[in-house]
Amino acid sequence: MARSFILALGADHGGVALKSRLAAALVEAGHEVQDYGTDSPASVDYPDFAHAVCTAVEEKRADFGILVCGTGIGMSIAANRRQGIRCGLAHDATTARLTRAHNDANVLALGARIIGEEVALDIIHIFLSTQFEGGRHERRLAKLNQATETTP
Ligand code: RB5
């Protein structure tokens, strides 16, 4: 069996239905899933759920976070405000692979209005099975949290 992970999942009302289906599939695949809500289609604010998942990742209670909203954009913006988070918004296999290989993403954002369940599961599978390449990308990651301009 492929390696299994502890995954923190979160969604707003735009992503809750897809999150539920993904959670079931991920448990079926042998992963441990922590579900940080939301749990219903009632309207909520995506940053609340992004921050709950990011805290779990930053505190190492989860290996990776997976955030789902309508587009994935709001979730990724919220997650990338966090110092310890690199959130990649992925719509396909290539963005899923490269956000791990180049950005060492520890949170994945998905758009439930943009992709379907099968594509989402392919993205998650690729995201979880791709290693960070290190090398020149280490230097770039080190500059991400610098508040001032750095020399190119
Ligand atoms: C909610 O209507 C929607 O704005 C949200 O799910 C997300 O797409 C935001 O980026």
Side-chain angles (χ1 to χ4, degrees):
M1 192 185 90
R3 215 181 132 195
S4 59
F5 295 97
I6 301 173
L7 303 172
L9 267 60
D12 71 353
H13 51 288
V16 64
L18 179 58
K19 171 176 70 67
S20 299
R21 296 196 298 274
L22 296 178
L26 291 168
V27 167
E28 178 73 20
H31 300 290
E32 181 183 326
V33 168
Q34 301 171 349
D35 191 341
Y36 289 88
T38 189
D39 303 317
S40 86
S43 185
V44 291
D45 301 332
Y46 57 81
D48 297 336
F49 302 90
H51 288 307
V53 164
C54 289
T55 298
V57 174
E58 284 183 339
E59 292 180 354
K60 303 195 184 310
R61 286 183 277 116
D63 297 309
F64 294 104
I66 299 175
L67 296 169
V68 192
C69 65
T71 58
I73 296 171
M75 285 294 199
S76 61
I77 292 172
N80 280 315
R81 302 271 166 123
R82 305 282 296 235
Q83 284 282 311
I85 299 298
R86 292 170 304 281
C87 176
L89 170 58
H91 296 318
D92 51 33
T94 308
T95 46
R97 178 172 56 79
L98 290 176
T99 200
R100 283 288 306 128
H102 290 186
N103 311 126
D104 198 18
N106 50 9
V107 173
L108 172 67
L110 300 171
R113 292 182 186 161
I114 312 298
I115 57 170
E117 181 180 349
E118 255 187 77
V119 172
L121 285 170
D122 285 346
I123 286 171
I124 293 169
H125 175 72
I126 292 164
F127 182 88
L128 294 179
S129 52
T130 303
Q131 300 288 318
F132 176 49
E133 285 177 10
R136 66 192 187 281
H137 301 294
E138 294 273 13
R139 184 180 67 245
R140 294 161 186 169
L141 296 191
K143 291 183 177 180
L144 287 176
N145 286 336
Q146 292 175 4
T148 52
E149 262 179 54
T150 49
T151 315

